[in-house]
Amino acid sequence: MRQDRRLRRRNETVQEILDTAIEVMAEEGVAALSLAEVARRIGIRPPSLYQYFPSKIAIYDALFERGMRRSVEILAPYRATIADDPCGAIAAGQEATIAWMTANPVLAQLMYWRPAPGFEPSSQAFEPAVQQLEILREALQAAVNAGQLAPAAASEEGLALYTVLISGVISQQLSNEPSAPPGQGRFTRYARTALDMFFRYYAPEEGETDDPILRRSRTAAPD
């Protein structure tokens, strides 16, 4: 019982450190994170903080994992609707994800950029990112199987193109209007347009548009 209490207190302190680190980064910038400032704000000495996180990189890693795990959790209810309407589930999941990203710009920067010199997520922290990509792959394949999208949509090219489009929307929003409320951003309002472009490009039938760009070959470019 005593050991359980110690573990609970330790976990609570870890979360307090991470929450405070986000506050500091929101004010000073992600790369300007100071462990001494984090320790001061939570009322402990820096050497005590090192018992929980030996470096800034360790804090970045924990926050990256926190953000990625939350993004996977957000997709869970939409994943359950993939079988009924794959493209609808993709659109709804995308909307919820972008809303969360714009409401949590510090974590979004860690997840989509590399704002902290020397930081690369550990394999453990990156595992939820792999899960997120697999959920997308599952949804795209379901859309192919349902006849909503062409087979190439679920290829490596299709996955890459989707991530370029959506991460580009998020990146533009974070760069230009990081404080805009979710759903009111100058760039995030185009997220559905970007998704519709993706759906049109990978439409199962050829000849649905006269736009030569959208009618170009869906075959992957050679390496």
Side-chain angles (χ1 to χ4, degrees):
M1 184 70 69
R2 185 178 303 173
Q3 184 176 2
D4 290 342
R5 286 198 297 270
R6 284 200 299 266
L7 180 59
R8 184 171 60 252
R9 285 198 297 270
R10 179 178 178 82
N11 290 338
E12 290 171 351
T13 302
V14 166
Q15 296 309 313
E16 183 181 9
I17 291 171
L18 294 178
D19 291 341
T20 304
I22 290 175
E23 294 176 3
V24 173
M25 288 189 286
E27 296 170 10
E28 307 294 338
V30 174
L33 176 63
S34 166
L35 297 189
E37 176 61 16
V38 173
R40 185 190 70 78
R41 293 193 185 195
I42 64 177
I44 64 175
R45 300 183 63 183
S48 297
L49 188 147
Y50 296 141
Q51 297 177 19
Y52 300 92
F53 295 99
S55 66
K56 288 197 298 184
I57 296 298
I59 289 183
Y60 291 140
D61 199 59
L63 288 173
F64 181 95
E65 182 176 1
R66 175 196 273 192
M68 282 298 178
R69 290 198 181 283
R70 180 56 186 148
S71 69
V72 172
E73 291 171 358
I74 288 170
L75 292 176
Y78 307 103
R79 190 179 190 182
T81 66
I82 287 175
D84 298 326
D85 179 10
C87 283
I90 292 171
Q94 172 186 287
E95 182 178 356
T97 297
I98 291 178
W100 183 84
M101 292 292 178
T102 54
N104 296 271
V106 170
L107 291 180
Q109 288 177 48
L110 280 174
M111 295 161 67
Y112 283 90
W113 299 346
R114 288 292 182 267
F119 169 63
E120 288 288 341
S122 66
S123 56
Q124 175 180 319
F126 198 72
E127 177 57 29
V130 176
Q131 295 176 24
Q132 186 184 45
L133 190 61
E134 287 306 311
I135 292 172
L136 173 60
R137 190 191 306 273
E138 174 188 341
L140 291 173
Q141 187 59 58
V144 171
N145 295 342
Q148 293 180 329
L149 296 176
S155 68
E156 291 303 317
E157 177 200 53
L159 286 167
L161 180 57
Y162 177 90
T163 58
V164 166
L165 288 172
I166 303 310
S167 64
V169 169
I170 294 171
S171 182
Q172 283 287 82
Q173 188 63 48
L174 294 177
S175 298
N176 294 281
E177 284 187 329
S179 60
Q184 300 181 29
R186 174 184 171 192
F187 295 95
T188 53
R189 71 181 64 173
Y190 297 116
R192 183 54 200 250
T193 301
L195 182 61
D196 287 343
M197 290 171 61
F198 178 88
F199 288 161
R200 288 175 61 200
Y201 180 70
Y202 287 112
E205 298 294 333
E206 297 285 350
E208 293 183 349
T209 174
D210 293 328
D211 190 328
I213 295 177
L214 295 177
R215 288 172 50 223
R216 70 186 183 276
S217 172
R218 295 189 176 102
T219 57
D223 294 334

